Amino acid sequence: MFNALEVFTAVVVGVMVGVEFSVAFVMNRIFNALPEDSGQLGRAHGGRMLGAVMPVWYIGSLVLVAVWALAGWHRPGAGLVVTAGALLILSVVMSILLLVPINNRGKTWTPENRPEDWKEQMNRWDRWHYVRVAVIIAAFALLVAALT
C-alpha cells in the first residue's frame, strides 16, 4: 500500500509540474505571439480555468506528500520527502502572496477594461511563475529520488 502512495503522489505532483511547465514555456509564448488582443484574452481565460483547478492540485499534492512523509518517517528517503514538502509549502506561499493577486486581476481583464500596465503585470507574473516552476520541479525531483 505504501508503494502505491509513493507512486500516486509522484504522478500527481509530476503532472502538476508538467502543466505549470507548459504554461511557463509553451502556452504563454503562444499567447504572446497571437495577434491583437487574442493573447490577453487567452491569458485571462487560462487564469480563470487554471485558477479554479490549481489551488486544489497544489494543496492536494502537499497533503499527499505529508501523508507520505508521515507514513514513511522511518524509511529511506524520508528526508527527501520532507524537503519536497517544504518546497511545495514554499510554492503555495509564493502562489498566495505573489501570483494569485496578479492572476485574480488578470482573469477579469478584457481589451476594454485592462489597465495600461497590464503587460508589465503579466511579465511580473511570468517571472514569479518561472521561480515557482523551478521550486516545484525541485520538489518533484526529490520525490522521485525518494522512491524506494
Side-chain angles (χ1 to χ4, degrees):
M1 186 68 160
F2 183 75
N3 288 342
L5 170 66
E6 291 175 308
V7 170
F8 182 72
T9 302
V11 169
V12 168
V13 173
V15 174
M16 179 180 75
V17 167
V19 169
E20 293 290 35
F21 184 91
S22 177
V23 167
F25 297 102
V26 179
M27 296 308 301
N28 285 345
R29 291 181 184 196
I30 291 170
F31 292 149
N32 291 340
L34 292 173
E36 299 175 15
D37 296 321
S38 301
Q40 185 262 308
L41 293 170
R43 286 180 75 121
H45 182 65
R48 288 188 298 275
M49 253 181 64
L50 291 173
V53 173
M54 295 316 284
V56 174
W57 210 338
Y58 272 82
I59 300 301
S61 295
L62 184 55
V63 168
L64 286 169
V65 169
V67 170
W68 178 353
L70 290 172
W73 186 249
H74 296 292
R75 293 178 179 248
L80 296 172
V81 177
V82 170
T83 305
L87 289 172
L88 290 177
I89 290 170
L90 174 61
S91 74
V92 169
V93 170
M94 287 178 63
S95 297
I96 292 169
L97 297 179
L98 303 169
L99 291 128
V100 169
I102 298 170
N103 188 66
N104 284 344
R105 290 189 302 270
K107 69 185 183 181
T108 65
W109 294 339
T110 66
E112 293 78 33
N113 73 359
R114 67 186 179 210
E116 287 193 27
D117 72 336
W118 73 274
K119 285 185 181 180
E120 289 82 10
Q121 290 189 54
M122 289 295 96
N123 288 335
R124 187 176 319 117
W125 188 93
D126 288 344
R127 286 190 304 273
W128 284 116
H129 184 63
Y130 293 141
V131 175
R132 179 174 61 179
V133 169
V135 168
I136 64 174
I137 287 173
F140 176 62
L142 290 170
L143 293 176
V144 171
L147 289 172
T148 55

